[in-house]
Amino acid sequence: MLLRHTDKEIKERSALTVNPAKTCQPIGAMYAALGIHNCLPHSHGSQGCCAYHRSTLTRHYKEPVMASTSSFTEGASVFGGQANLLEAIQYIFTVYNPDVIAVHTTCLSEVIGDDIPQILARAREDGEIPEGKYVIHCNTPSFVGSHVTGFANMVKGMVHYFAESGGKKLDQINIIPGWVEPSDMREIKRLAREMGVTTVMFPDTSDVLDAPLTGRHQFYPKGGVTVKELQSIGDSMGTIALGHFASSAAAEALDAKCNVPYEILDIPYGLLATDRFIDTLRRMAKVEVPESINAERGRLVDAISDMQSYFYGKRVALFGDPDQLVALSEFLVTLNMRPVYVVTGTPGKKFEEQMSRVLEEIPEAKFKQAGDIYLLHQWIKNEPVDLLMGNTYGKFIARDEDIPFIRIGFPILDRIGHSYFPTVGYIGALRLVEKILGAIMDRQDRDCPEESFELVM
Amino acid sequence: MSENLAEVFATTREKLLKVYPTKAARKRAKHMVINDPNPETMPEIEANVRTIPGIITQRGCTYAGCKGVVVGPIRDIVNITHGPIGCGFYSWLTRRNQTKPIDDNDYNLMNYCFSTDMQEDDIVFGGEKKLRQAVREAYEIFKPKAIGIFATCPVGLIGDDVHAVAREMKEELGINVFGFSCEGYKGVSQSAGHHIANNQLFKHVIGLDDTVRDSKYKINLLGEYNIGGDAFEIERILEKCGIDLIATFSGNSSYDYFANAHTADLNCVMCHRSINYVADMMEVKYGIPWIKVNFIGAESTAKSLRKIAKYFGDPELTERVEAVIAEEMPEVEKHRAEARSRCEGKTVMLFVGGSRAHHYQDLFSELGMKTVAAGYEFAHRDDYEGRRVLPKIKIDADSRNIEELTVEPDPERYRFRKTEAEVAELKAQGFEFSDYEGMMAQMAKGTLVIDDISHYEMEKLIAYHKPDIFCAGIKEKYVIQKMGVPCKQLHSYDYSGPYAGFRGAVNFYHDIDRLVNSKIWNYIQAPWQKSPELIATYVK
């Protein structure tokens, strides 16, 4: 057994986290910053943070992830990191020439108490920030929240540094996609285009973390929201923020700063969340939903109705990030499945509120914020499930307990596809349906007696 | 590439330095040398010093070197990361140090991640209370033989004393509990973490179990981490030779092996950078000599086995080692010849690790491939220029931060394993004790050596010289391949392996052949991009 020390008996733990279902803020800030065009994320702390974040993102995307670090040593930890950051800014503009440096802090620089705005003011005074270039920042102490919080903070940082109101409203809608894949961001933009709506998406990692092989390394790939676009978000007609945990902070900040009304929706995973997204976009942009989108929706409903008996009553365990789990659980309920165990490592009471709403009709469901995968495994040991969904770390449970497993969330370190094929929208929901059916039906094919092995299913 | 490497690379070096501001250029210049393998005229290279902030380095931190590299692979210790969740999370199963418990009932904690997941309150009010409780819970639930505690950046700053907590909990729980002050900011790279891990294992674990095994040729293998199963293959070979492996530091290892390691009669050092401290300290305290070995490469494996046999000086062992080599090599040669026919003459660049950029040159040369440029990520001058430069290395403030243990011979257990006469005789035959000649002595004259290569330097080097293969790590892998050059990861082996020993060499030959000769490199351009001038028009 891979997890041979995981016992059925659940002992109270107040201090020890075992097999976390979250990681720390800075990696989220790095991921978000990669969604700005011509931007170099910068980690203000020890080298290890930056190395770990780049490695994890690279393993998830199989793509270059460029970012720099303040390379703290003991001296910086004693005297503060100002000298390191000033030096870094100078080298980055000289050698790597980005439009934007997006600084995020780490637990180290937070504990030291480095005042980033003050250091940036100093860099400006010293003439180290060339004309037309920007250095933005957000605080991402690792001992608060999770990687999702870090993502939210960097997106809020974009609003803080770039949003302006020019006084005249532009015929465009802001979309804050939340922590989703480049494929998802591409799909959300496609849906908006299909509806004839002009959008500004921030961040946007499509065409950044899914770049083509051309024989040349494009240090700043062609994708990402541009500074000019970010400067225009204050004049948009409205903002659609997808995912409470990842996107609401930025939407609220933009409203406070530039009076841009917003709606916070779930990530459009599955039928109903996509319906709400399309409907909200329709009303906000005052457009009609085209027949092509009705047809996409119709195909999804058709597939679900064709195969509904395979989903019915199946017990599912899920772990990952709150915004994804809420939307995904809702979709599973739509499919007549039973999401019985749902764990996120990200802390936040809001998650439990959201889950109790989504899982109203599943009385046996257990869900937990600030939990860990070890606890989820113990629940499974006590009463098994038919399907497990989560990031790659779930494969250890899946093998030990012999449960069909679908990889979803972050990080996925051992399979590809997530960056190319969307999970959002009606097409993304179809992909989920295909994956769930594949897992369940493969299991039936593997386990059923020979006499009931079916050709047609 | 041109025949006059030295000239070509001198120009490259100038070009690489040109982009940097003056101060940075001055610093980086010392990290780039044109090689001369002659010890008399070998250039001095700067290494193990601070990386320039913002330059985009391959390097990681002290915690990564301590928990991630050296202590992480021990399967029956609960390794608790004391800090916010990230450090524990990122070092959870990402390094491919495989382990094989003895049976179904044996401990295997390798697949678990343990952390105190410090929150804001713990930072403000101190985290020791939470740490103590976490250690108790780990003991209650997992009943391990020992518990290690790893400090992360904020721990040192807020003043949590992991060693005091360890002492207290050791007393309370009655099992071995020890701490590591491996805060990420200590030192300039992973290397400081290796040293800290060495010190604590030496202080707290090595020497706890005096049981002497009834076997003839007892050795430890130091600095072998069982990436992709390397240690399994080396274990197979050693067993076949009748050599008794007491402990591997630390691939496929158990706490018990470390406790007993001082009963070995020879320490064999694979990765000099990460583990030479333990080798030195064990020699002083217990009288165990150490030698440098390398099981990367079939020829190197044979050479290392012969070196071990020579040390023991027993004709029976020598004969058996020769028999094993004779038995293993034909298969190796068969595969090598096949791969070599497609790889010979191709060029290699390696920028990785603290020993791998050196060791893997052996495997490439077995394939007839030429190493034209190489460098380490976190090694020291002695790993480049050989241990002969040790007395000349300046100890800077960053190195001085890392504790140097004062070790003395153990009053009861010190026993030098060879007589003075035996040592003299071996030395007369050219046998080298406690020595490592470093990477540069093996590299050709005129090749380029760069320490702690920056992203910019790497990208330019590839653009200027288009090597047939570039070896680095995960952060570099896809940058290199975007440029149409295959990259072999030498930290994780691209999830293949083993590459050590005889069977490992065979795997490597095929993997390299497959990679450099993959069809996909020919398909980067679409047909219409290859000949855009042919524009046809339809005639209606």
Side-chain angles (χ1 to χ4, degrees):
Chain A
M1 298 286 262
L2 293 160
L3 298 166
R4 56 180 63 184
H5 303 283
T6 303
D7 200 53
K8 249 183 155 164
E9 189 198 342
I10 298 173
K11 289 182 183 161
E12 174 71 20
R13 282 179 289 137
S14 63
L16 184 69
T17 294
V18 186
N19 300 350
K22 66 166 177 184
T23 181
C24 64
Q25 282 209 47
I27 195 172
M30 186 181 283
Y31 177 56
L34 288 165
I36 303 175
H37 184 62
N38 272 352
C39 172
L40 189 71
H42 180 83
S43 166
H44 187 52
S46 300
Q47 273 159 194
C49 310
C50 188
Y52 273 143
H53 303 147
R54 291 181 64 204
S55 297
T56 305
L57 287 165
T58 304
R59 290 182 184 119
H60 180 82
Y61 287 112
K62 319 292 180 209
E63 283 293 308
V65 172
M66 304 318 302
S68 55
T69 163
S70 289
S71 292
F72 277 35
T73 55
E74 186 119 9
S77 305
V78 175
F79 302 112
Q82 170 163 313
N84 293 53
L85 186 51
L86 290 174
E87 200 178 356
I89 289 171
Q90 188 198 4
Y91 289 140
I92 292 167
F93 281 126
T94 315
V95 181
Y96 298 108
N97 194 28
D99 288 345
V100 183
I101 300 175
V103 180
H104 61 262
T105 59
T106 58
C107 44
L108 179 56
S109 51
E110 285 289 331
V111 172
I112 294 169
D114 276 351
D115 180 351
I116 307 295
Q118 175 264 316
I119 300 174
L120 300 187
R122 174 70 191 276
R124 215 163 289 121
E125 271 168 38
D126 293 355
E128 294 297 355
I129 305 177
E131 191 61 35
K133 305 275 181 176
Y134 301 86
V135 184
I136 68 171
H137 101 286
C138 70
N139 292 88
T140 49
S142 320
F143 42 81
V144 175
S146 75
H147 57 294
V148 183
T149 324
F151 180 94
N153 284 340
M154 183 50 84
V155 184
K156 191 178 158 189
M158 295 174 198
V159 171
H160 175 75
Y161 278 90
F162 291 118
E164 296 163 3
S165 343
K168 189 169 160 274
K169 284 284 173 199
L170 297 170
D171 188 15
Q172 65 182 25
I173 304 283
N174 301 322
I175 297 183
I176 308 176
W179 190 317
V180 291
E181 300 294 350
S183 52
D184 296 323
M185 298 186 189
R186 192 186 296 285
E187 176 64 4
I188 292 169
K189 287 192 293 186
R190 184 192 67 85
L191 284 168
R193 239 185 356 257
E194 196 75 17
M195 291 169 71
V197 180
T198 306
T199 55
V200 177
M201 177 175 283
F202 65 98
D204 180 3
T205 59
S206 64
D207 285 320
V208 178
L209 289 164
D210 54 358
L213 179 58
T214 58
R216 196 168 75 83
H217 172 231
Q218 207 165 347
F219 192 94
Y220 302 107
K222 85 173 215 255
V225 62
T226 61
V227 168
K228 202 163 159 248
E229 286 172 315
L230 280 171
Q231 285 165 339
S232 79
I233 58 177
D235 293 327
S236 296
M237 287 153 61
T239 302
I240 296 182
L242 301 173
H244 169 82
F245 281 82
S247 305
S248 60
E252 285 159 13
L254 183 59
D255 188 25
K257 190 175 180 189
C258 304
N259 260 323
V260 182
Y262 64 90
E263 294 223 29
I264 297 169
L265 303 178
D266 290 325
I267 292 178
Y269 277 2
L271 181 64
L272 303 183
T274 305
D275 283 351
R276 292 194 293 273
F277 170 69
I278 298 291
D279 202 35
T280 307
L281 190 58
R282 170 183 73 97
R283 283 184 287 104
M284 200 178 265
K286 302 184 177 65
V287 293
E288 301 261 319
V289 178
E291 204 40 51
S292 59
I293 288 187
N294 293 337
E296 282 180 31
R297 184 181 188 279
R299 280 192 285 273
L300 171 64
V301 176
D302 186 70
I304 296 171
S305 76
D306 291 346
M307 307 304 279
Q308 53 185 303
S309 59
Y310 291 97
F311 299 116
Y312 187 83
K314 290 283 191 293
R315 289 164 53 84
V316 190
L318 309 95
F319 66 93
D321 301 340
D323 294 337
Q324 277 85 346
L325 292 173
V326 168
L328 190 57
S329 299
E330 183 192 57
F331 186 44
L332 295 177
V333 173
T334 310
L335 294 172
N336 280 317
M337 298 177 83
R338 304 189 81 78
V340 284
Y341 309 134
V342 190
V343 168
T344 182
T346 299
K349 289 270 185 295
K350 179 81 181 175
F351 175 70
E352 287 173 355
E353 264 172 58
Q354 290 171 306
M355 289 310 292
S356 44
R357 174 174 49 77
V358 168
L359 299 180
E360 212 173 358
E361 54 183 274
I362 319 280
E364 73 272 32
K366 293 183 191 187
F367 42 86
K368 193 170 178 1
Q369 48 99 15
D372 57 31
I373 311 178
Y374 181 79
L375 175 71
L376 182 82
H377 190 183
Q378 288 185 306
W379 285 349
I380 293 171
K381 276 197 181 289
N382 280 286
E383 205 180 339
V385 293
D386 303 301
L387 182 67
L388 176 66
M389 299 177 85
N391 67 33
T392 287
Y393 286 96
K395 75 194 272 185
F396 291 81
I397 299 175
R399 178 164 151 150
D400 273 3
E401 306 298 334
D402 196 23
I403 313 169
F405 174 47
I406 293 173
R407 285 162 182 79
I408 186 162
F410 177 83
I412 295 172
L413 306 171
D414 62 337
R415 296 291 189 275
I416 64 156
H418 44 277
S419 54
Y420 303 118
F421 307 109
T423 310
V424 299
Y426 301 117
I427 285 173
L430 258 180
R431 178 167 178 255
L432 276 173
V433 161
E434 186 198 8
K435 281 198 160 200
I436 294 170
L437 281 172
I440 291 172
M441 294 163 96
D442 280 350
R443 184 53 56 116
Q444 184 178 325
D445 279 346
R446 192 196 79 178
D447 290 350
C448 70
E450 282 191 8
E451 62 275 21
S452 22
F453 188 71
E454 301 289 346
L455 176 72
V456 184
M457 291 170 84
Chain B
M1 283 182 84
S2 147
E3 279 311 295
N4 194 346
L5 276 183
E7 239 168 70
V8 172
F9 280 134
T11 314
T12 298
R13 185 175 174 276
E14 292 311 309
K15 282 201 282 190
L16 292 181
L17 290 169
K18 218 180 235 164
V19 72
Y20 294 118
T22 325
K23 204 173 120 199
R26 213 164 44 227
K27 283 186 192 168
R28 287 303 300 155
K30 297 182 198 161
H31 295 262
M32 296 181 199
V33 299
I34 308 298
N35 189 46
D36 180 349
N38 180 352
E40 303 301 316
T41 44
M42 186 183 283
E44 180 182 326
I45 188 164
E46 180 106 288
N48 191 38
V49 298
R50 290 179 194 180
T51 299
I52 297 169
I55 204 162
I56 307 191
T57 170
Q58 299 181 320
R59 285 174 166 182
C61 67
T62 307
Y63 167 86
C66 181
K67 195 268 184 184
V69 173
V70 179
V71 192
I74 308 172
R75 67 171 164 264
D76 44 7
I77 297 181
V78 165
N79 285 326
I80 301 178
T81 299
H82 184 40
I85 198 66
C87 311
F89 181 84
Y90 302 117
S91 57
W92 178 20
L93 284 167
T94 45
R95 208 172 165 262
R96 295 197 79 220
N97 34 243
Q98 301 182 355
T99 201
K100 193 166 191 247
I102 291 163
D103 56 34
D104 288 348
N105 299 316
D106 193 12
Y107 283 94
N108 185 8
L109 294 157
M110 193 64 75
N111 300 321
Y112 292 86
C113 165
F114 305 95
S115 170
T116 54
D117 185 14
M118 285 174 102
Q119 299 297 301
E120 196 153 23
D121 278 357
D122 307 315
I123 298 290
V124 176
F125 302 109
E128 289 186 9
K129 194 173 147 212
K130 190 174 196 185
L131 175 60
R132 265 191 292 272
Q133 181 59 20
V135 173
R136 274 187 208 111
E137 290 172 4
Y139 176 74
E140 256 327 288
I141 298 170
F142 298 97
K143 295 277 175 333
K145 296 173 184 173
I147 295 176
I149 301 166
F150 299 83
T152 60
C153 289
V155 168
L157 285 186
I158 64 171
D160 277 5
D161 185 344
V162 295
H163 306 290
V165 172
R167 275 195 301 276
E168 224 176 283
M169 298 317 291
K170 185 176 177 178
E171 182 117 325
E172 180 181 319
L173 304 174
I175 60 162
N176 201 356
V177 184
F178 36 88
F180 298 84
S181 291
C182 54
E183 286 88 347
Y185 56 79
K186 294 220 166 144
V188 298
S189 70
Q190 293 95 310
S191 175
H194 304 144
H195 194 166
I196 290 163
N198 279 226
N199 286 350
Q200 297 304 85
L201 289 174
F202 187 74
K203 272 203 281 195
H204 295 283
V205 188
I206 296 168
L208 291 180
D209 172 13
D210 286 330
T211 314
V212 178
R213 286 219 290 248
D214 181 23
S215 62
K216 260 179 158 172
Y217 317 110
K218 289 194 254 304
I219 69 162
N220 295 319
L221 188 59
L222 307 187
E224 161 49 55
Y225 301 105
N226 203 22
I227 308 302
D230 277 353
F232 297 147
E233 166 66 358
I234 299 173
E235 285 168 17
R236 180 188 73 84
I237 295 168
L238 292 176
E239 196 183 328
K240 207 166 160 184
C241 293
I243 296 166
D244 186 18
L245 184 59
I246 304 289
T248 300
F249 286 51
S250 54
N252 193 31
S253 71
S254 155
Y255 172 79
D256 298 339
Y257 308 161
F258 285 80
N260 192 234
H262 64 298
T263 65
D265 293 321
L266 176 67
N267 276 330
C268 299
V269 173
M270 276 279 286
C271 174
H272 174 261
R273 182 65 269 131
S274 61
I275 210 90
N276 72 86
Y277 319 94
V278 157
D280 276 337
M281 291 188 287
M282 283 174 85
E283 178 160 8
V284 176
K285 186 166 179 183
Y286 301 106
I288 309 171
W290 71 264
I291 57 171
K292 177 77 179 70
V293 295
N294 177 20
F295 287 98
I296 301 298
E299 303 293 343
S300 323
T301 300
K303 200 170 138 195
S304 296
L305 291 173
R306 289 185 174 118
K307 200 166 169 184
I308 295 169
K310 188 159 190 175
Y311 168 82
F312 284 104
D314 185 337
E316 189 191 317
L317 177 62
T318 309
E319 211 171 283
R320 195 148 163 197
V321 160
E322 289 305 329
V324 169
I325 296 170
E327 194 190 319
E328 298 276 340
M329 282 308 279
E331 186 70 10
V332 171
E333 273 153 16
K334 192 180 91 192
H335 290 276
R336 177 165 56 199
E338 197 204 323
R340 192 174 170 130
S341 66
R342 285 183 294 267
C343 296
E344 183 132 41
K346 291 191 187 288
T347 55
V348 187
M349 294 184 179
L350 308 95
F351 289 91
V352 61
S355 65
R356 291 179 190 275
H358 178 195
H359 289 165
Y360 277 82
Q361 293 186 24
D362 291 5
L363 268 173
F364 282 115
S365 79
E366 288 178 9
L367 282 170
M369 295 170 72
K370 287 186 287 200
T371 299
V372 292
Y376 296 122
E377 177 181 338
F378 49 74
H380 301 194
R381 270 187 68 195
D382 40 323
D383 305 297
Y384 287 104
E385 302 168 59
R387 280 177 73 94
R388 64 189 173 81
V389 302
L390 274 177
K392 288 187 275 180
I393 295 180
K394 290 190 291 287
I395 308 292
D396 65 6
D398 294 309
S399 298
R400 219 170 290 124
N401 280 336
I402 313 303
E403 188 188 14
E404 278 287 345
L405 298 184
T406 315
V407 184
E408 282 176 2
D410 188 288
E412 274 113 51
R413 297 182 291 181
Y414 181 88
R415 178 173 61 82
F416 199 76
R417 302 316 205 254
K418 290 272 165 197
T419 65
E420 268 177 42
E422 284 169 338
V423 171
E425 199 193 321
L426 279 168
K427 279 187 177 166
Q429 291 169 32
F431 193 89
E432 283 163 349
F433 284 101
S434 321
D435 196 29
Y436 174 41
E437 63 167 7
M439 170 204 274
M440 284 159 67
Q442 195 182 330
M443 286 177 69
K445 196 174 164 80
T447 52
L448 180 63
V449 181
I450 304 182
D451 174 67
D452 183 21
I453 195 169
S454 74
H455 172 85
Y456 171 83
E457 293 157 15
M458 177 187 86
E459 205 170 311
K460 289 294 168 200
L461 204 52
I462 296 170
Y464 296 155
H465 300 294
K466 279 276 172 189
D468 293 301
I469 189 167
F470 195 101
C471 301
I474 183 71
K475 300 191 295 299
E476 295 79 34
K477 166 103 183 167
Y478 303 103
V479 172
I480 298 159
Q481 297 203 159
K482 282 278 190 275
M483 301 174 84
V485 172
C487 171
K488 185 77 203 162
Q489 292 184 67
L490 285 184
H491 293 285
S492 72
Y493 301 172
D494 294 323
Y495 324 107
S496 179
Y499 290 153
F502 298 113
R503 291 180 186 170
V506 170
N507 288 337
F508 190 79
Y509 303 150
H510 288 305
D511 280 358
I512 295 303
D513 178 20
R514 214 172 282 156
L515 193 57
V516 298
N517 294 310
S518 169
K519 289 191 184 68
I520 196 63
W521 310 117
N522 303 324
Y523 302 143
I524 293 172
Q525 285 196 306
W528 52 91
Q529 290 168 315
K530 282 182 188 164
S531 47
E533 71 281 4
L534 299 173
I535 297 166
T537 45
Y538 284 102
V539 181
K540 280 191 184 160

